Amino acid sequence: MRPELGVCYYPEHWAEEIWAEDARRMAETGIKWVRIGEFAWSRLEAVEGVLTWEWLDRAVAILADAKLNIVMGTPSATPPKWVVDKYPDMLAVDIDGRPRQFGSRRHYCFSHLGYRREAARMAAAMAERYGRHSAVQAWQIDNEYGCHDTTLSYSEAARCGFRDWLAQKYQSPDALNRAWGNVFWSMEYANFNDIDLPNLTTTEANPSHWLDFRRFTSEQVVAFNRAQIEAMRPHTDAPFIHNYMGRVLDFDHFAVGADLEIASWDSYPLGALERTLREDDDDWKAHFARQGDPDFQAFHHDLYRAVGQGRWWVMEQQPGPVNWAPYNPIPLNGMVKLWTLEAIAHGAEVVSYFRWRQAPFAQEQMHAGLLRPDHENAQAQIEAREVADELAKLGALDHKDAEVAIVFDYESQWAWEIQPQGQGFDYFRLVFEQYRALRKLGLNIDFLPAQTDDFGKRKLILIPALMAWNDNLRKAIDRFDGTILAGPRTGSKTQNMQIPTPLGPHFAGAKVARVATLRPNMSIPLENGGAIINWHEELEGKDAVEKTAEGQTILMRDGKNFYHFYLGGWLDQSGYLRILTDLCAAQNIKTTNMPEGIRQRAVGNKTLLLNYNAFGVKINGQKLPPASAFWY
Ligand code: GAL
């Protein structure tokens, strides 16, 4: 597969006279794919049932003439006003019970069956019109599920749907009462119709109630997405894609991805650094303000490669300053190219820039594009052109499974959001910090869903904070003869989110007797270097490998299977680096200590070396300029 470039384009934002010129300049930039249509509902169906395709037909024809492939988006993220007027109760409701208003986007509730049908009808109409057009080579369903905190909705539609879902799952209120432990605080239900959503309770609602609501909600996203695909499939053979986001974890992406051919995500490295990472670390943010975190993009490239079962794109790549983070710096010259090459080294089939030209109007007028609002090329256009030239020389890349993989589980994210037990416990951050340590060791990393039943030929598997074991994963473990490092918190609950007895983790001969959460200014030093932060477990069992400076067991090994380890704490980076280096060495996995801000990714017999620093670095006698990437 030869990687290609794309761009997001909104013909409806521009005078028709400039479309052909735009298409010509796209082709000249080296772009092969153009995504259109995903917010165009009000121009396609201004009045219910009256469809105006002609302008889009002309836009499609112009792009096709320029030999550009089209990704057509279904417009369900932006239902126009008449749709909301038709279904006033389709609006999502926030946790405080307030309905979302019309006037931006993503105002719908996933559980509303009327809107779900309406969105599927519109998607089918588009597929009927363009599904066999030779230029329409892919579809994007909706846009960024969950963006603007819109996955969870506490609407009447959600309440009714949740009750039905619970009745299906438990069959009798008694079974539900037992599964949730509702004898506690007299919370028992006599009837499924008595059950409310878990918001607006006096103090916290039952964690089992919450977890089922999170599962139900995630399944609504799956069903919403599937309704469009089922309606469209008869009219097209082109692959279906959705554009996921960074660190949006409110629905199970593996479950949505199972219905799609290709996964994609929207990569905004500077916005992400400012808004979603290391919340309190100002020095870090200043150091990487114009480059982005050196691991955040790679993490999601690897995660979405797993979600897409190998096939994935970057659907939106940041091209310059964005408008939505607390601070919006200009990327260092070279970063747009670096981000693009990095995605390609992780296996992206297409990297598509958001957007072609900066819009001078509405919410995103301060958001850069490849072109400025005055039609001049912006810096990103120059870098995209450079990447296109480089890709032409690079040819096809040969991607193989990594030796190391991390099991990633959306349900565990929900479980620990529901019950963090200490403010510092965050599933994503824990996984990310383990991932970061592996990257600092120069490794390629894969992700696997918790439902996997086979680890393949990998040598080291990490299973951090998995809420509950499942049969598939147990099978994968039984079949595997490499090293497994589980913990902390792994296997600490049942599927109903209760504490199992005998106590967990049911792995590596360990038993977690008690847990403590630590304030940010507290840590527990380990005897051989590094420290425990955030989360500490008191372990019982015989086979200790590693202790704290005070002699408490922190890492255990299975007395029978020497390659199974359980780690009863969240470690700082130096702790992870030391332990992971040892585990890799034992499996003959070659590690390299990467200098600060330098990362690498091996592909076939090539390696891409990346300098995320704002200064040049000398490596193996070679000078790596700031914000640059090169193959060796
Ligand atoms: C994404 C979204 C785009 C645009 C972009 C701005 O979240 O999919 O439509 O809003 O962000 O950065």
Side-chain angles (χ1 to χ4, degrees):
M1 166 87 218
R2 277 169 165 279
E4 294 180 329
L5 299 183
V7 77
C8 306
Y9 185 50
Y10 300 92
E12 69 275 22
H13 294 181
W14 310 106
E16 197 164 331
E17 296 77 67
I18 67 170
W19 294 354
E21 171 71 358
D22 278 343
R24 189 188 61 73
R25 287 174 76 186
M26 287 173 194
E28 207 174 79
T29 306
I31 281 167
K32 306 271 191 247
W33 291 83
V34 187
R35 184 193 66 179
I36 56 173
E38 82 278 10
F39 300 129
W41 199 336
S42 72
R43 287 297 170 96
L44 291 173
E45 192 181 21
V47 177
E48 182 172 9
V50 183
L51 287 150
T52 20
W53 301 115
E54 295 69 22
W55 68 269
L56 190 54
D57 292 349
R58 293 194 294 277
V60 165
I62 285 173
L63 296 170
D65 279 351
K67 307 258 175 319
L68 294 160
N69 288 325
I70 292 169
V71 185
M72 183 81 81
T74 70
S76 48
T78 49
K81 187 67 169 69
W82 69 259
V83 179
V84 179
D85 292 342
K86 182 172 174 189
Y87 305 103
D89 60 346
M90 67 168 271
L91 294 170
V93 173
D94 74 8
I95 191 162
D96 297 318
R98 295 171 305 194
R100 312 269 186 187
Q101 299 271 17
F102 181 81
S104 66
R105 62 178 172 183
R106 299 216 60 77
H107 35 287
Y108 69 86
C109 173
F110 283 102
S111 301
H112 193 278
L113 299 181
Y115 181 60
R116 195 183 291 175
R117 272 193 304 275
E118 200 73 54
R121 176 194 58 79
M122 186 59 191
M126 281 183 107
E128 236 178 291
R129 185 84 181 181
Y130 301 108
R132 308 273 174 224
H133 193 293
S134 61
V136 177
Q137 288 290 322
W139 291 93
Q140 176 184 297
I141 309 293
D142 201 281
N143 189 77
E144 290 192 338
Y145 292 138
C147 183
H148 318 304
D149 196 14
T150 53
T151 307
L152 289 148
S153 165
Y154 303 85
S155 66
E156 192 51 34
R159 185 188 335 273
C160 296
F162 186 47
R163 287 173 178 166
D164 288 349
W165 186 90
L166 290 171
Q168 283 278 334
K169 175 167 177 179
Y170 293 105
Q171 299 291 314
S172 76
D174 271 0
L176 176 142
N177 287 328
R178 271 195 308 279
W180 289 7
N182 282 337
V183 59
F184 196 76
W185 290 352
S186 277
M187 294 182 296
E188 286 166 301
Y189 297 103
N191 197 308
F192 285 110
N193 284 335
D194 295 339
I195 304 174
D196 262 317
L197 300 177
N199 63 326
L200 300 175
T201 51
T202 311
T203 182
E204 61 182 309
N206 188 332
S208 307
H209 184 171
W210 263 118
L211 184 61
D212 267 343
F213 179 61
R214 302 296 300 260
R215 287 170 169 149
F216 159 78
T217 298
S218 179
E219 286 183 25
Q220 300 311 296
V221 181
V222 174
F224 184 87
N225 183 66
R226 188 177 294 158
Q228 292 195 33
I229 291 177
E230 283 174 353
M232 295 170 77
R233 187 59 86 197
H235 309 295
T236 184
D237 298 320
F240 292 116
I241 312 181
H242 178 72
N243 55 335
Y244 307 105
M245 301 177 71
R247 203 181 179 173
V248 165
L249 305 158
D250 286 340
F251 62 93
D252 185 343
H253 292 49
F254 290 110
V256 171
D259 288 327
L260 300 164
E261 278 80 22
I262 302 175
S264 77
W265 81 288
D266 296 345
S267 179
Y268 291 92
L270 305 194
L273 178 90
E274 275 300 336
R275 204 162 79 170
T276 42
L277 267 176
R278 293 174 71 138
E279 293 72 6
D280 37 13
D281 195 338
D282 277 343
D283 292 343
W284 180 261
K285 287 189 177 173
H287 188 94
F288 289 109
R290 301 183 63 190
Q291 306 99 291
D293 180 278
D295 299 306
F296 190 80
Q297 289 66 252
F299 180 99
H300 289 88
H301 297 337
D302 292 343
L303 179 61
Y304 292 128
R305 191 174 60 249
V307 168
Q309 295 170 45
R311 295 201 63 187
W312 73 280
W313 297 14
V314 172
M315 189 63 88
E316 298 181 14
Q317 172 63 63
Q318 175 167 358
V322 300
N323 62 305
W324 46 261
Y327 301 95
N328 296 296
I330 297 174
L332 285 181
N333 283 354
M335 283 315 296
V336 170
K337 183 171 174 190
L338 181 154
W339 295 328
T340 311
L341 290 176
E342 183 171 41
I344 282 162
H346 284 256
E349 295 177 6
V350 175
V351 178
S352 163
Y353 299 97
F354 182 90
R355 50 185 277 156
W356 173 242
R357 186 188 293 101
Q358 181 171 349
F361 48 82
Q363 280 93 328
E364 292 179 349
Q365 50 184 272
M366 299 300 287
H367 191 298
L370 294 188
L371 306 192
R372 303 188 322 205
D374 66 357
H375 309 255
E376 296 294 319
N377 290 336
Q379 169 68 16
Q381 188 278 346
I382 299 165
E383 293 185 30
R385 181 62 260 174
E386 285 173 21
V387 177
D389 292 339
E390 201 163 308
L391 293 185
K393 283 184 251 142
L394 191 65
L397 292 171
D398 171 27
H399 296 280
K400 287 205 284 300
D401 283 353
E403 291 179 311
V404 182
I406 303 179
V407 171
F408 190 84
D409 180 41
Y410 288 90
E411 216 170 83
S412 299
Q413 167 72 30
W414 312 332
W416 307 141
E417 261 174 53
I418 293 165
Q419 194 180 69
Q421 179 70 3
Q423 270 183 36
F425 198 93
D426 179 293
Y427 175 76
F428 176 88
R429 271 187 54 211
L430 173 67
V431 178
F432 187 69
E433 288 181 19
Q434 296 193 359
Y435 179 88
R436 192 193 288 294
L438 293 167
R439 288 260 295 171
K440 283 187 184 162
L441 294 174
L443 297 164
N444 279 15
I445 302 136
D446 288 339
F447 283 98
L448 294 166
Q451 286 295 337
T452 191
D453 62 3
D454 191 1
F455 297 146
K457 295 203 178 1
R458 296 182 179 85
K459 294 180 172 173
L460 171 64
I461 303 291
L462 271 45
I463 313 180
L466 178 79
M467 178 192 78
W469 298 108
N470 66 70
D471 293 344
N472 286 345
L473 194 61
R474 285 288 191 193
K475 205 182 289 168
I477 291 172
D478 290 345
R479 285 180 177 165
F480 185 61
D481 58 7
T483 297
I484 299 174
L485 176 67
R489 255 188 141 167
T490 300
S492 60
K493 302 285 175 180
T494 65
Q495 289 289 348
N496 292 326
M497 211 172 163
Q498 302 190 1
I499 295 174
T501 45
L503 297 175
H506 310 148
F507 190 74
K511 188 176 279 184
V512 177
R514 291 200 295 185
V515 303
T517 51
L518 308 179
R519 299 185 56 82
N521 54 356
M522 289 166 74
S523 62
I524 302 173
L526 301 179
E527 62 178 347
N528 298 324
I532 300 168
I533 54 173
N534 289 324
W535 183 273
H536 175 223
E537 297 174 349
E538 283 182 6
L539 300 182
E540 289 175 354
K542 294 194 299 292
D543 302 289
V545 181
E546 165 111 29
K547 301 198 161 163
T548 65
E550 290 187 345
Q552 283 177 300
T553 299
I554 186 70
L555 181 66
M556 295 191 49
R557 167 201 292 244
D558 195 315
K560 289 187 222 87
N561 185 338
F562 277 7
Y563 296 107
H564 287 185
F565 295 85
Y566 184 80
L567 178 59
W570 177 322
L571 304 190
D572 63 4
Q573 279 293 301
S574 67
Y576 279 132
L577 284 171
R578 187 171 55 70
I579 286 174
L580 291 169
T581 304
D582 290 351
L583 295 183
C584 286
Q587 283 290 351
N588 282 323
I589 301 169
K590 185 176 168 295
T591 56
T592 315
N593 290 321
M594 306 304 295
E596 162 132 27
I598 305 292
R599 294 292 187 265
Q600 67 178 17
R601 164 88 186 172
V603 196
N605 56 5
K606 293 193 192 60
T607 298
L608 185 71
L609 202 59
L610 305 123
N611 183 6
Y612 263 88
N613 295 301
F615 46 81
V617 175
K618 221 169 177 185
I619 280 203
N620 307 334
Q622 183 112 19
K623 181 117 175 34
L624 205 53
S628 70
F630 84 96
W631 296 97
Y632 71 93

